[in-house]
Amino acid sequence: MDPYCVLLCNDQRVKTKVCKKGGKNPKWSETFILNASTEHVITIRIRDKEAFAKDELIAEGQLPVLKIAQLGKIGEWVPVFYKGKPAGNVLIEATFVAQ
C-alpha cells in the first residue's frame, strides 16, 4: 500500500506526498496552512496511490476547527472510518492562529 493524506477545509485541498510502501502505518511529517474559521471542519481522507487505476479511499475522518481554536494548539489522534466502520487513527498536530 502506498498511502497519502488529503486535507479538505473551506474549499481548500492539500495533500501529503505518497508514503511508498507505508502500509497500515504510514508516516508524514508535512506542514500545511489552511485558512479557516471556527465553524469549519477539516476532513481527512487517506487514499492508496494506484499506478493504473483510480486511487482507492482507505479511510476518512473529521476534525472541527473549533476544537483547535479552543485549545490553540493540539496533537490529537483523530479516528478514521471506512464505510462507517473504524479503520484506525491518524495523528494530527495543528495550531490555530487568529487573523
Side-chain angles (χ1 to χ4, degrees):
M1 208 176 339
D2 299 320
Y4 64 95
C5 189
V6 178
L7 302 175
L8 305 162
C9 183
N10 188 29
D11 296 330
Q12 298 166 87
R13 180 183 187 276
V14 293
K15 74 176 192 173
T16 65
K17 295 177 182 170
V18 174
C19 183
K20 294 283 186 186
K21 298 184 182 178
K24 293 185 179 184
N25 296 300
K27 289 184 172 61
W28 302 283
S29 293
E30 298 183 44
T31 301
F32 300 104
I33 296 174
L34 297 170
N35 293 315
S37 63
T38 54
E39 63 267 3
H40 292 120
V41 173
I42 299 171
T43 299
I44 303 150
R45 291 189 182 143
I46 303 169
R47 303 184 72 85
D48 182 22
K49 183 70 177 168
E50 300 289 339
F52 301 107
K54 184 178 176 184
D55 293 354
E56 180 182 354
L57 179 67
I58 298 171
E60 183 174 274
Q62 294 190 326
L63 177 61
V65 173
L66 179 60
K67 188 171 194 176
I68 304 166
Q70 288 173 331
L71 298 172
K73 183 176 183 177
I74 66 165
E76 181 169 320
W77 289 97
V78 178
V80 292
F81 302 86
Y82 180 70
K83 295 185 178 180
K85 295 182 181 177
N89 297 289
V90 62
L91 178 61
I92 299 289
E93 295 180 355
T95 301
F96 186 85
V97 178
Q99 292 188 359

